[in-house]
Amino acid sequence: MKANFPKASLPGVASTCEIDSHADTCCMGRNFVPLYFTEEVVDVTPFTDRYTALRDVPVAGGATHIQLDDGSEYILVVHQGLWFGEELDV
């Protein structure tokens, strides 16, 4: 399936990155910038019946800037993660 790729996130969006999502992949929201999109989309199924699956979520690579408590800064790069862009307000 080919995806309709969402727009890139806006520069300067500050947020918190939660690394442990109890999932087998990473989710990228509005604090990430897309680096590339694969041709793949996936259906994301929740762990409980109380939620419905999300359909046609793009698979992408993305990057975000992180700053640790000690002031050190890094660029965090995620490969083949789930791209939610502006839809995921982290």
Side-chain angles (χ1 to χ4, degrees):
M1 253 192 250
K2 205 167 194 180
N4 284 330
F5 300 122
K7 295 178 185 174
S9 298
L10 297 175
V13 173
S15 186
T16 301
C17 289
E18 181 178 328
I19 302 301
D20 183 12
S21 66
H22 305 284
D24 62 354
T25 191
C26 295
C27 298
M28 294 174 283
R30 58 186 271 173
N31 58 326
F32 274 79
V33 174
L35 300 175
Y36 64 87
F37 289 94
T38 69
E39 294 293 318
E40 299 175 272
V41 293
V42 296
D43 294 339
V44 179
T45 306
F47 64 93
T48 178
D49 300 5
R50 291 186 283 174
Y51 303 101
T52 58
L54 298 173
R55 306 276 182 223
D56 299 329
V57 177
V59 177
T64 191
H65 168 263
I66 60 172
Q67 184 173 13
L68 303 182
D69 291 338
D70 68 2
S72 57
E73 299 179 77
Y74 300 91
I75 301 296
L76 177 65
V77 178
V78 172
H79 293 282
Q80 294 189 343
L82 303 176
W83 180 260
F84 290 97
E86 293 295 321
E87 295 176 37
L88 184 60
D89 186 17
V90 288

